[in-house]
Amino acid sequence: MQSVDDKKKTHRGAGFNPQLRYQQNEKESIDDGWYHDEEVPALKTEILIDKTKTIITRNTSPDVPFAQSINPYRGCEHGCIYCFARPTHAYLDLSPGLDFETKLVIKPDAAKLLRKELAKNNYVCDTIAMGTNTDPYQPIEIEHRITRQIIEVLAECNHPLSIVTKSALIERDIDLLQPMAEKNLVHVMVSVTTLDKQLASTMEPRAAVPQRRLQTIQRLTQAGIPTGVLVAPIIPFLNDAEIEAIVAAVADAGANSLAYVFLRLPIEVKDLFYDWLLQHYPLKAERIMQRIRDSRNGKEYDAGFGQRMTGSGQYVELIQQRFALAIKKAGLNDGYVALDTTQFKPPRVDSPQLSLF
């Protein structure tokens, strides 16, 4: 375990870098009593380049309502401590801890690769989801604009798109999303985990504050873009008391749908989350973890289909009932929106071959 000084991890979610599960050697820092009064430089974001040859990821999971997705970035500077995507950084020989938040991988050729894949004769149009792994509108998107380039290709082809984000930066792309919405080609889900600014500042340190996300929902819906809310994750004794308040707030902001996910703690996320609890909510830590185990068949995590997103047991049943009543009272639906795949037209691809038409 590689500890990090409190000053050094300011505005970062994880408290350390877990050992890589594919490495045999482990490093551990030792406090020798020196340098306690020295300023430790803040962790800086490092950009790495992904040389992938394809851009669309496909899945057959029964737990998610999409079969195709695109992730413009690997790692996420938002630093959400609960992020289930953290373990994917281990495949890059990077840590799911602080590395996940500070060593970010970008896909600069994403739009070009997408255009190539959509132009294939055997491509079958189906909604492409973005934001299913890491946020497509995390801070580095301001400079690199990879998400916007992808949307430009999809808009050109009349290809349906769904987006999940907790960033206000999506408002920048209303000029692209609004015409797509008029053709029933786009749906946005804004992630709202809490209305408590203090909780959000430690749990999601570099994401938009809760009230700013409500404003984003309002601006998207005013532009005619169907916008729902994803309350994810539900964490026992941290944000579960806010269910009714969150549903009411997002409904007032104009959201048309809502879905939620119970906390998931796969692989390294379990230790990172527990360490975070001990730092910020030490008196609640054991109680929270025990309730999670009660809802996961005695384990911190159950990866089985039908279980990993919802959990089981009396507590989970109560959460389901509360959401159902709150959603009904607010007049929202369950979060699924069917988009139109019939308008798709393959993109033009640079080629020496001239078109017949």
Side-chain angles (χ1 to χ4, degrees):
M1 181 184 299
Q2 205 169 9
S3 300
V4 178
D5 185 278
D6 283 341
K7 295 177 183 177
K8 191 172 182 179
K9 64 187 180 187
T10 300
H11 300 306
R12 299 293 182 180
F16 64 97
N17 266 333
Q19 180 188 7
L20 297 182
R21 71 190 102 117
Y22 303 118
Q23 290 186 351
Q24 295 181 349
N25 297 326
E26 181 176 356
K27 295 180 180 180
E28 183 175 358
S29 61
I30 299 175
D31 182 5
D32 59 5
W34 291 95
Y35 310 118
H36 281 180
D37 296 328
E38 290 193 2
E39 286 290 331
V40 179
L43 287 170
K44 294 183 178 180
T45 299
E46 180 180 351
I47 303 298
L48 308 173
I49 305 298
D50 189 319
K51 296 296 186 180
T52 184
K53 300 298 183 183
T54 60
I55 196 63
I56 300 176
T57 301
R58 294 175 172 83
N59 78 87
T60 57
S61 170
D63 286 332
V64 293
F66 60 87
Q68 300 190 131
S69 62
I70 293 177
N71 294 297
Y73 305 103
R74 303 180 74 171
C76 186
E77 200 172 10
H78 282 161
C80 303
I81 189 60
Y82 53 74
C83 183
F84 65 86
R86 285 181 176 273
T88 62
H89 241 44
Y91 298 118
L92 304 174
D93 285 334
L94 297 172
S95 174
L98 285 164
D99 282 355
F100 180 80
E101 307 171 35
T102 60
K103 299 182 188 302
L104 309 180
V105 183
I106 68 172
K107 303 177 182 180
D109 294 331
K112 182 171 67 174
L113 292 171
L114 176 61
R115 184 177 293 276
K116 182 178 179 180
E117 290 193 45
L118 296 183
K120 291 180 179 178
N121 292 332
N122 62 349
Y123 178 76
V124 178
C125 181
D126 196 3
T127 298
I128 286 177
M130 296 179 69
T132 59
N133 200 46
T134 58
D135 202 312
Y137 285 104
Q138 58 180 287
I140 57 172
E141 166 64 15
I142 296 174
E143 176 183 355
H144 295 281
R145 301 172 68 87
I146 298 173
T147 295
R148 182 173 177 88
Q149 294 167 21
I150 290 170
I151 296 175
E152 287 173 342
V153 174
L154 296 175
E156 174 190 332
C157 300
N158 286 336
H159 195 294
L161 165 69
S162 67
I163 301 173
V164 178
T165 183
K166 51 172 61 79
S167 173
L169 181 57
I170 190 174
E171 295 173 17
R172 178 201 65 187
D173 293 340
I174 286 178
D175 63 316
L176 295 175
L177 300 175
Q178 188 175 45
M180 294 181 72
E182 293 173 355
K183 302 175 184 179
N184 189 29
L185 293 174
V186 68
H187 182 256
V188 175
M189 294 288 280
V190 176
S191 175
V192 179
T193 314
T194 178
L195 301 176
D196 184 336
K197 188 175 180 180
Q198 180 58 40
L199 174 58
S201 70
T202 59
M203 188 166 62
E204 308 162 331
R206 295 198 170 198
V209 299
Q211 290 302 317
R212 186 65 182 88
R213 296 183 216 182
L214 295 177
Q215 189 178 58
T216 294
I217 295 168
Q218 187 176 48
R219 290 178 177 175
L220 291 172
T221 56
Q222 287 176 346
I225 300 166
T227 305
V229 166
L230 181 63
V231 185
I234 292 296
I235 305 174
F237 310 120
L238 275 188
N239 68 345
D240 55 352
E242 297 185 68
I243 290 174
E244 290 78 11
I246 291 174
V247 175
V250 301
D252 287 344
N256 65 353
S257 61
L258 187 140
Y260 74 94
V261 178
F262 189 66
L263 178 66
R264 300 168 57 185
L265 298 176
I267 319 177
E268 293 91 351
V269 182
K270 175 191 67 175
D271 295 332
L272 289 164
F273 181 74
Y274 184 60
D275 176 74
W276 177 84
L277 284 177
L278 291 177
Q279 290 183 49
H280 299 284
Y281 300 94
L283 300 181
K284 291 183 177 182
E286 292 301 332
R287 187 182 179 204
I288 290 171
M289 294 305 296
Q290 185 56 53
R291 182 53 57 90
I292 291 170
R293 287 188 286 269
D294 290 343
S295 304
R296 294 288 189 189
N297 298 313
K299 300 178 290 186
E300 275 86 8
Y301 184 56
D302 184 350
F305 288 141
Q307 291 289 323
R308 55 182 180 156
M309 310 289 274
T310 60
S312 60
Q314 293 182 343
Y315 172 79
V316 168
E317 291 174 2
L318 177 60
I319 294 298
Q320 292 171 344
Q321 293 170 10
R322 289 175 59 193
F323 264 110
L325 289 173
I327 289 172
K328 182 178 180 180
K329 181 178 179 181
L332 305 177
N333 62 41
D334 64 1
Y336 178 75
V337 176
L339 300 177
D340 189 359
T341 61
T342 64
Q343 302 177 60
F344 172 70
K345 54 182 181 181
R348 289 186 177 183
V349 178
D350 292 338
S351 171
Q353 177 89 27
L354 297 177
S355 172
L356 290 176
F357 305 100

